[in-house]
Amino acid sequence: MHLIHSEKCGVRRAMMLIGSKWKMVLIGCLKDGMQRYGELKRSIPDISEKMLIQELKDLVEAGLVEKTSYPEVPPRVEYRLTEKGQKAIPVWEMVERFGCDYL
Amino acid sequence: MHLIHSEKCGVRRAMMLIGSKWKMVLIGCLKDGMQRYGELKRSIPDISEKMLIQELKDLVEAGLVEKTSYPEVPPRVEYRLTEKGQKAIPVWEMVERFGCDYL
DNA sequence: CAGGATCCGCGATGATACTG
DNA sequence: CAGTATCATCGCGGATCCTG
């Protein structure tokens, strides 16, 4: 029996982390390695800058993504999955497969 | 290269189907077989009736869940995963595992 | 028992302009 | 280049009451 009703339910905790509109998309962007902010923005043309920043910040705060800023001009900021974040890649693959199968 | 920007992106289509707050929870409830409306409600004490009905309807319209009403008094309604819906079970398992790993 | 209907707040999402 | 700030919107999710 799964503890659907409790905080111990993995599904519910997971959905709080990766259930929003863009998080899985971002994880897909980062699954093969580091990406700069501008690359992410170009990869996802229909995300607003606000949401891109916000979702990245959420992922950083959740410990799934690591952000590195270089004090240069022009600025350079890199995002990459942490070890924890890489554990989400199998989820991404399953979600992707499901979405394709569904057609 | 994945087509993040297009409608062909599996992840984005998948998130439209299973990305809302309760859909994965419901798929988890139904993954082992049929459940009656009341059983679902008791399994998820903190979902409102409105959301339960609405999310079930979404899943039925998406073809992931099948609903069977028996014209009895009192009414009996059964929900079960369709073949398409069962394809979401591996997704559920990955999400569950990720949520537990994350602790 | 299994819902439908209605009203509503708030958070999620977005558009636009501006900045170090 | 990589953000911030501000303002606006939209629908998710919930509370409550009603029905076959």
Side-chain angles (χ1 to χ4, degrees):
Chain A
M1 175 59 189
H2 292 92
L3 304 172
I4 293 165
H5 49 287
S6 84
E7 288 300 317
K8 288 179 185 165
C9 172
V11 169
R12 295 182 63 172
R13 227 167 334 90
M15 292 309 282
M16 290 171 50
L17 292 172
I18 57 177
S20 75
K21 183 173 177 181
W22 299 105
K23 297 226 167 57
M24 270 290 140
V25 174
L26 281 170
I27 286 168
C29 289
L30 294 170
K31 73 179 174 29
D32 294 324
M34 179 275 290
Q35 290 263 264
R36 293 185 58 175
Y37 174 81
E39 295 175 314
L40 292 171
K41 197 164 81 169
R42 277 189 299 280
S43 295
I44 318 173
D46 52 343
I47 192 175
S48 68
E49 294 195 2
K50 175 183 169 185
M51 288 313 297
L52 179 54
I53 295 289
Q54 183 176 302
E55 299 282 87
L56 283 169
K57 188 188 290 184
D58 289 349
L59 289 169
V60 169
E61 284 170 1
L64 302 182
V65 166
E66 171 185 29
K67 169 179 174 174
T68 311
S69 302
Y70 297 90
E72 307 169 351
V73 178
R76 181 160 57 101
V77 178
E78 297 180 350
Y79 294 92
R80 76 184 70 239
L81 292 182
T82 62
E83 215 168 304
K84 258 188 186 175
Q86 297 188 24
K87 290 185 180 170
I89 296 178
V91 181
W92 182 89
E93 287 168 347
M94 279 299 165
V95 171
E96 167 75 11
R97 184 175 311 167
F98 174 72
C100 293
D101 275 10
Y102 180 79
L103 269 187
Chain B
M1 174 60 189
H2 291 94
L3 305 171
I4 294 165
H5 49 289
S6 82
E7 288 300 317
K8 288 179 185 167
C9 171
V11 169
R12 297 183 61 174
R13 228 169 332 92
M15 292 309 281
M16 291 172 49
L17 291 172
I18 58 176
S20 75
K21 183 173 180 182
W22 299 105
K23 297 226 166 58
M24 270 290 139
V25 174
L26 281 170
I27 286 169
C29 289
L30 294 170
K31 74 179 173 26
D32 294 322
M34 179 274 293
Q35 291 260 251
R36 293 186 58 176
Y37 174 81
E39 295 175 315
L40 292 171
K41 199 164 80 169
R42 277 188 299 279
S43 296
I44 318 173
D46 52 343
I47 191 174
S48 67
E49 293 195 4
K50 174 187 167 182
M51 288 313 296
L52 179 54
I53 296 287
Q54 184 177 300
E55 299 281 89
L56 283 169
K57 188 190 287 183
D58 289 349
L59 289 170
V60 169
E61 284 171 1
L64 302 181
V65 166
E66 171 185 29
K67 169 179 174 175
T68 313
S69 302
Y70 297 90
E72 306 170 352
V73 179
R76 181 161 56 101
V77 179
E78 297 180 351
Y79 293 93
R80 75 183 70 239
L81 292 181
T82 62
E83 215 167 304
K84 260 186 185 175
Q86 298 188 24
K87 291 184 179 170
I89 295 178
V91 181
W92 182 89
E93 287 167 346
M94 280 297 166
V95 172
E96 167 75 11
R97 183 175 312 166
F98 174 72
C100 294
D101 275 10
Y102 180 78
L103 269 186

